[in-house]
């Protein structure tokens, strides 16, 4: 409460709401398609082949709907920026698509590839196609289109002076966005599959055990990407922990970090407690009420994770500028004898990457990778120990 006043306002609420809609649709389409391609689809094919068409069709329908909804969301954002009266000029927004500028090309690609991603996965809504050999090719092509559409939001709109730094910054943002899309969109997809009709009751338990285990791999890879890219973005935009409370950027980032921490805690509950128990009960062939209770509790935990993830995406658009610049501009304003217009406030240059930056970054990368791989192995061992500890001698021998 005693911290200095924020140096910049949060910005209009409606702008963040429009940006939130864009992120939810674009990232959701990526996550749902990835789940169908890498986790739920293969799990259904291995444990409950009859459920593969229904699982693929449900996830593909949701991905296609989100990809289509991304188009009006993107156009609304462009219309707000193109309006001269702070309203929404959709005609001007439409004219900016492929208008010859780099920004226009990227906006045009964002809209075009979103529609292409929807068109590619839409045929999989037909269960006969979802069960055929075209399933993997259509999902792969749809995922590629949706991923590039998401990436265009962070591709540079001007020819960079330093191609190396700009390319690295773009790669970091791609890791951040794709990681968030695969993780949060995948959680939403699991919640969709928990509703009746996707998986027959007879194959529900083996399907969920395999699907959760496969999703854990992609989720952990996504969390690793988010963590590493987040550490780099923190280094680039924040000069020390004190700026997390003395600048508006830092305060918003602090809220985002707290929500991300809550998501990680729920993920740990799933990974080290709920998933191993479901695995153990599935291996035992247990049909008692505890097995049903666990399978009912899992969607509830996932629903909370999805809500936290959507809250995280709502907070993110409030991040404007950087904590470094806000703190620097606040000091400059205090030292100036006359008020400085907001557009003329000085800005700090981007941080220079040194040898120590690469050393620390490499060490952080290795630590995060080792931690994620170790966590996945530990959770698998917990499942096997629970299975061995509760199985009969005959099943244990088998």
């Amino acid at each position: 409460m005693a911290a200095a006043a924020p140096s910049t306002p949060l910005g209009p609420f409606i702008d963040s709401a429009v940006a939130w809609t864009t992120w939810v649709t674009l990232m959701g389409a990526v996550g749902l398609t990835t789940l169908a391609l890498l986790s739920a689809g293969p799990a259904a094919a291995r444990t409950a082949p009859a459920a593969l068409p229904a699982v693929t069709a449900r996830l593909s329908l949701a991905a296609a709907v989100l990809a289509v909804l991304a188009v009006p969301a993107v156009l609304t954002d462009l219309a707000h920026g193109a309006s001269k009266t702070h309203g929404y000029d959709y005609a001007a927004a439409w004219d900016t698509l492929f208008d010859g500028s780099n920004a226009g090309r990227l906006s045009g690609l964002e809209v075009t590839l979103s529609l292409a991603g929807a068109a590619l996965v839409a045929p999989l809504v037909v269960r006969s196609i979802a069960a055929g050999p075209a399933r993997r090719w259509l999902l792969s092509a749809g995922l590629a289109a949706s991923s590039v559409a998401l990436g265009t939001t962070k591709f540079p709109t001007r020819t960079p002076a330093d191609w190396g730094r700009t390319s690295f910054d773009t790669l970091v943002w791609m890791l951040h966005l794709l990681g968030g899309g695969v993780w949060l969109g995948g959680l939403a997809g699991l919640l969709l599959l928990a509703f009746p009709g996707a998986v027959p009751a007879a194959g529900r338990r083996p399907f969920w055990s395999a699907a959760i285990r496969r999703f854990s791999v992609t989720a952990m890879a996504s969390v690793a990407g988010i963590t590493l890219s987040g550490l780099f973005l923190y280094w680039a935009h924040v000069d020390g922990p004190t700026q997390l409370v003395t600048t508006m950027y830092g305060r918003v980032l602090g809220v985002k970090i707290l929500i991300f921490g809550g998501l990680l805690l729920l993920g740990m509950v799933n990974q080290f407690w709920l998933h191993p128990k479901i695995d153990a009960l599935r291996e035992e062939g247990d049909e008692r009420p505890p097995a049903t209770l666990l399978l009912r509790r899992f969607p509830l935990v996932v629903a909370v994770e999805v809500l936290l993830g959507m809250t995280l995406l709502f907070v993110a658009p409030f991040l404007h500028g950087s904590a470094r610049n806000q703190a620097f501009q606040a000091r400059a304003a205090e030292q100036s004898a006359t008020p400085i217009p907001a557009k003329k406030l000085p800005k700090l240059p981007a941080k220079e990457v040194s040898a120590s930056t690469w050393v620390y970054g490499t060490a952080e990368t290795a630590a995060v990778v080792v931690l994620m791989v170790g966590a996945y192995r530990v959770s698998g061992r917990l499942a096997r120990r629970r299975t061995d500890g509760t199985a009969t001698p005959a099943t244990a021998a088998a």
Side-chain angles (χ1 to χ4, degrees):
M1 295 297 293
S7 55
T8 56
L10 282 174
F13 177 86
I14 189 63
D15 291 355
S16 294
V18 171
W20 175 81
T21 306
T22 305
W23 292 125
V24 167
T25 51
L26 290 172
M27 297 173 75
V30 169
L32 289 166
T33 308
T34 304
L35 181 69
L37 178 64
L38 299 181
S39 301
R46 185 167 67 87
T47 62
L52 178 61
V55 167
T56 303
R58 181 172 293 190
L59 294 176
S60 298
L61 176 61
V65 169
L66 286 179
V68 170
L69 290 177
V71 174
V74 171
L75 288 176
T76 299
D77 193 15
L78 292 173
H80 189 51
S83 174
K84 297 179 180 180
T85 60
H86 302 289
Y88 297 90
D89 190 343
Y90 285 93
W94 183 261
D95 290 339
T96 62
L97 302 181
F98 297 111
D99 62 356
S101 65
N102 286 337
R105 293 188 190 97
L106 291 176
S107 298
L109 284 174
E110 187 176 2
V111 170
T112 303
L113 291 175
S114 294
L115 291 175
L120 286 166
V121 300
L124 295 173
V125 174
V126 181
R127 296 193 179 189
S128 58
I129 299 177
R135 182 187 70 87
R136 184 174 298 177
W137 293 103
L138 289 173
L139 287 173
S140 299
L143 177 60
S146 298
S147 299
V148 177
L150 177 61
T152 57
T153 59
K154 291 298 180 180
F155 290 167
T157 57
R158 298 179 181 177
T159 302
D162 185 350
W163 276 98
R165 176 63 183 269
T166 303
S167 299
F168 186 80
D169 288 348
T170 303
L171 175 62
V172 167
W173 273 112
M174 288 294 289
L175 280 176
H176 210 64
L177 295 178
L178 290 176
V182 171
W183 185 25
L184 301 178
L187 287 171
L190 290 177
L191 189 60
L192 278 177
L193 294 178
F195 288 96
V199 184
R204 195 168 296 158
R205 190 170 295 116
F207 165 78
W208 278 112
S209 177
I212 291 169
R213 199 66 183 157
R214 292 184 70 96
F215 177 70
S216 294
V217 178
T218 56
M220 284 193 161
S222 299
V223 170
I226 294 170
T227 303
L228 292 172
S229 57
L231 287 171
F232 176 81
L233 294 172
Y234 176 88
W235 171 83
H237 294 291
V238 182
D239 281 337
T242 57
Q243 290 186 356
L244 291 176
V245 294
T246 58
T247 66
M248 181 57 75
Y249 183 98
R251 293 176 182 181
V252 175
L253 180 61
V255 173
K256 186 180 174 185
I257 291 173
L258 289 175
I259 297 173
F260 181 69
L263 277 167
L264 285 182
L265 287 176
L266 285 175
M268 290 172 63
V269 170
N270 279 334
Q271 192 70 25
F272 296 106
W273 181 73
L274 198 55
H275 296 182
K277 282 196 171 185
I278 293 175
D279 280 345
L281 291 170
R282 193 262 297 181
E283 293 294 336
E284 298 170 42
D286 197 339
E287 301 293 339
R288 295 174 299 167
T292 304
L293 178 63
L294 284 173
L295 288 174
R296 288 177 180 174
R297 191 175 299 173
F298 173 71
L300 177 62
V301 176
V302 172
V304 175
E305 288 184 277
V306 171
L307 288 175
L308 279 177
M310 294 182 73
T311 305
L312 181 68
L313 293 180
F314 185 78
V315 170
F318 286 103
L319 288 170
H320 301 291
S322 73
R324 298 174 65 240
N325 275 322
Q326 290 178 9
F328 178 69
Q329 291 168 355
R331 289 193 298 270
E334 290 175 358
Q335 296 170 1
S336 175
T338 59
I340 304 176
K343 293 183 179 180
K344 294 185 178 181
L345 284 170
K347 291 185 178 181
L348 291 170
K351 282 187 178 179
E352 294 292 334
V353 178
S354 62
S356 62
T357 307
W358 287 107
V359 171
Y360 285 124
T362 303
E364 289 171 349
T365 302
V368 170
V369 170
V370 169
L371 179 63
M372 293 300 168
V373 173
Y376 181 79
R377 291 183 175 274
V378 167
S379 64
R381 289 178 181 176
L382 288 173
R384 289 192 292 274
R385 286 178 183 175
R386 287 194 173 101
T387 302
D388 295 339
T390 57
T392 63
T395 57

